[in-house]
Amino acid sequence: MIKKDVTLTIKGLHLSEDEENTLESRHEGSYFFKDGIHYVLAKEQNDGAVTDLRLTFDERSLKVRRSGEINTELTFEADMIHETMYRT
């Protein structure tokens, strides 16, 4: 298994009833490939709180998991709709 240092850039769109904001964050992390799955591990720091970030993906799906100050799991697959709950 080869591990590589990476810079992860995440861009998102935050929508509310009266506002729309584009958010972007950058994190230093590591990448590795194991058993047919790609992994990116990083830590987010926001106002002193640390959240672990894990992306796992293959040719069928992408999962984004956060744990710590923010806990959530998002799954993305072509032609599929997934609902998720999160706690901040």
Side-chain angles (χ1 to χ4, degrees), residues 35-38 56-63 75-80 82:
D35 298 329
I37 298 176
H38 302 268
T56 56
F57 59 96
D58 59 19
E59 57 278 342
R60 297 181 317 274
S61 68
L62 164 68
K63 291 187 180 183
T75 301
F76 301 92
E77 294 178 282
D79 302 319
M80 297 290 292
H82 295 277

Side-chain angles (χ1 to χ4, degrees), residues 6-34:
V6 295
T7 300
L8 178 64
T9 302
I10 300 174
K11 292 183 181 182
L13 182 61
H14 181 258
L15 301 172
S16 64
E17 291 179 10
D18 58 348
E19 200 172 9
E20 180 177 309
N21 292 315
T22 301
L23 308 170
E24 180 175 311
S25 59
R26 289 181 178 246
H27 314 285
E28 300 301 317
S30 59
Y31 163 85
F32 63 95
F33 182 77
K34 181 179 176 184

Side-chain angles (χ1 to χ4, degrees), residues 46-88:
N46 188 8
D47 296 330
V50 177
T51 301
D52 292 319
L53 174 61
R54 180 172 66 172
L55 282 74
T56 56
F57 59 96
D58 59 19
E59 57 278 342
R60 297 181 317 274
S61 68
L62 164 68
K63 291 187 180 183
V64 180
R65 294 184 182 126
R66 288 183 167 102
S67 59
E69 187 72 18
I70 299 170
N71 293 306
T72 187
E73 181 176 316
L74 303 170
T75 301
F76 301 92
E77 294 178 282
D79 302 319
M80 297 290 292
I81 296 173
H82 295 277
E83 291 185 17
T84 189
M85 295 181 69
Y86 63 92
R87 179 180 63 84
T88 58

